[in-house]
Amino acid sequence: MSAAAALLTALSAHAVSAHDHAVSRGRLVFADHEKPVVSVLDLDTAKVTHSFEVSKADPTLIGTEGGRFVVIRTGDESGTIRVLDSGLFYESHEDHFDIEKGEVKLLDLTLTGDKPSHVVSEQGWLTVFYDGQRPWLGESDPKVVAIRLDALDDDTVETTVWPAPAPQHGIAVPLGGDRFLVSVSKEAYAKGDDKTVSSRPNGFQILDKAQGWTAVASFNDTADPDRSCKEFHGHAGLQDVHVFGCNARIEGDAASDGGVLVVGPGLDGAWDARKLAYPDGRRASTIKAGPTGQHLVANYGGDQGRPFAALLRIDPKAETLTAEDVFQIPGGQAVCQYEVTGDGKRVVNLTQDGKLRVYEIAPEWKAVAEFDAVPAFDCAWDAATPAPTVAIIGNSAFVSDPENGRIREFYLNSLKQGLDIPVGGKPSAIAGGGNAG
């Protein structure tokens, strides 16, 4: 059987499984490391069907809530943000989703500003935080841009802008309705007198857009560990609970923190916060979660300049975190790329040795599969060579292989390799939606 015939057979076999009609597998969006273009791969035909020019090569791609739209953070000097409509519409049938494929288009919407950082999509909103310039470099325009996802349907978009009082490496998390959890700039950083002060915030406040962005709650008291998050970096939400990565426990250091901040509604419905202590002197920096499940997962490390070489399982309902919540990456490697499955039960981890590993999160950490996914690569943030990335769509993990111009699929149910698709160029960031495997 030819490679093309085998590919079509694999597609057909997975399209009809457990259904009396063909089920679309969706689409995957990917960027190129060298060319300023974002392309769309149809997972039913294994063909690249659309390509759109953007302002800079190797942009960051961020999927939105619901899986239909993909945010393109271009990384250009203007801080340009674009949005791609994948054209995928979902219909629930209890045990599965059917996908209808509509038109793929790059929306006319273009956002610009000073240094866009965190992009968050929850509770029907999309927010972009523009950090602003470092204060000692001159004036800038830090701000939050908020957009309702349903306003993107017909490309008639009204944006809401909240001008931040001062620059910071910030985030705005939609909490539902018109309320947003927004980080608070540190006064010492905003003044700009001391260039050693980090741009990372120490806390948050809840702002109500309907009340003119009035603060209705504050978690920005550095004297109270349960109401602050020193040197914040990393966030994920799980249902109505939000977890933020705070600084490590550092003896004798005013920036010492020692845990993640858990923010959620209390028994009386009011938003409350508490600190969940780290099991040792390391810290979380990136946090991820599936839409459902019990746990969030963070990369873990950073102590004494060492890499983030472990994963940390976080149960936001727990009293504390223990050594059993920590999983060391094989060979002492950095975590590099990882994603959590939609049901929150597994993690896929692409490490610099080119292997894709699958771990079960609970009741205890366990490695369940290992694939030779791509050639070894440098996963440092400032690496000169293009790094592959991993994304989860449905029950499949997809890995970009920029060295060989391919995108590969790995089934998370059967733990076997799926598609291996030549797309040309140097595919880098990937995102998308659908049923996949």
Side-chain angles (χ1 to χ4, degrees), residues 188-436:
Y189 177 76
K191 286 181 177 179
D193 299 331
D194 184 353
K195 296 181 182 180
T196 66
V197 177
S198 170
S199 61
R200 297 176 179 178
N202 282 341
F204 310 91
Q205 57 186 353
I206 295 178
L207 305 181
D208 191 318
K209 182 176 74 69
Q211 299 182 40
W213 296 96
T214 299
V216 296
S218 176
F219 309 107
N220 189 41
D221 181 2
T222 56
D224 184 349
D226 287 327
R227 302 189 72 83
S228 62
C229 183
K230 294 181 181 179
E231 307 295 325
F232 149 72
H233 196 278
H235 157 265
L238 183 60
Q239 283 91 49
D240 290 329
V241 176
H242 298 271
V243 177
F244 299 87
C246 315
N247 209 6
R249 182 171 64 249
I250 309 168
E251 296 298 330
D253 191 329
S256 175
D257 196 306
V260 296
L261 186 70
V262 179
V263 180
L267 295 177
D268 60 356
W271 288 88
D272 202 358
R274 68 187 182 97
K275 187 63 56 64
L276 189 55
Y278 293 130
D280 53 45
R282 290 174 283 183
R283 67 159 294 167
S285 179
T286 299
I287 307 176
K288 299 187 178 186
T292 62
Q294 179 181 349
H295 299 96
L296 306 94
V297 177
N299 64 351
Y300 193 55
D303 57 322
Q304 301 179 354
R306 289 181 288 189
F308 288 81
L311 293 171
L312 177 66
R313 177 182 61 199
I314 302 169
D315 180 350
K317 296 180 181 179
E319 291 300 319
T320 188
L321 302 173
T322 71
E324 285 69 37
D325 292 309
V326 179
F327 180 82
Q328 296 297 137
I329 302 302
Q333 301 179 88
V335 172
C336 289
Q337 307 277 346
Y338 79 101
E339 294 291 341
V340 179
T341 57
D343 61 8
K345 295 181 178 180
R346 287 181 171 179
V347 171
V348 295
N349 178 211
L350 180 67
T351 46
Q352 61 193 20
D353 58 5
K355 295 185 182 298
L356 181 73
R357 296 178 173 90
V358 183
Y359 315 128
E360 286 186 357
I361 299 172
E364 59 184 22
W365 283 106
K366 182 171 67 173
V368 296
E370 180 180 303
F371 302 96
D372 292 319
V374 294
F377 62 96
D378 185 352
C379 74
W381 70 270
D382 57 349
T385 53
T389 57
V390 61
I392 293 177
I393 301 177
N395 293 316
S396 291
F398 289 86
V399 177
S400 63
D401 181 357
E403 182 172 322
N404 294 297
R406 309 182 77 87
I407 292 176
R408 297 189 175 93
E409 177 187 25
F410 301 89
Y411 300 128
L412 299 177
N413 286 342
S414 65
L415 300 177
K416 296 180 179 179
Q417 183 168 346
L419 304 178
D420 186 351
I421 307 169
V423 296
K426 294 186 178 296
S428 53
I430 52 179
N435 289 322

Side-chain angles (χ1 to χ4, degrees), residues 18 39 117 128-129 131 133 177-178 206 209 242 273 346 382 403:
S39 301
S117 58
V128 179
F129 202 107
D131 289 353
Q133 300 288 346
D178 288 317
I206 295 178
K209 182 176 74 69
H242 298 271
R346 287 181 171 179
D382 57 349
E403 182 172 322

Side-chain angles (χ1 to χ4, degrees), residues 125-162:
W125 286 91
L126 169 67
T127 64
V128 179
F129 202 107
Y130 281 92
D131 289 353
Q133 300 288 346
R134 297 183 185 278
W136 50 86
L137 297 179
E139 296 294 324
S140 62
D141 183 26
K143 61 185 177 182
V144 174
V145 180
I147 303 168
R148 286 207 59 87
L149 286 177
D150 55 17
L152 299 174
D153 281 345
D154 55 6
D155 203 11
T156 57
V157 182
E158 292 186 9
T159 62
T160 298
V161 177
W162 177 71

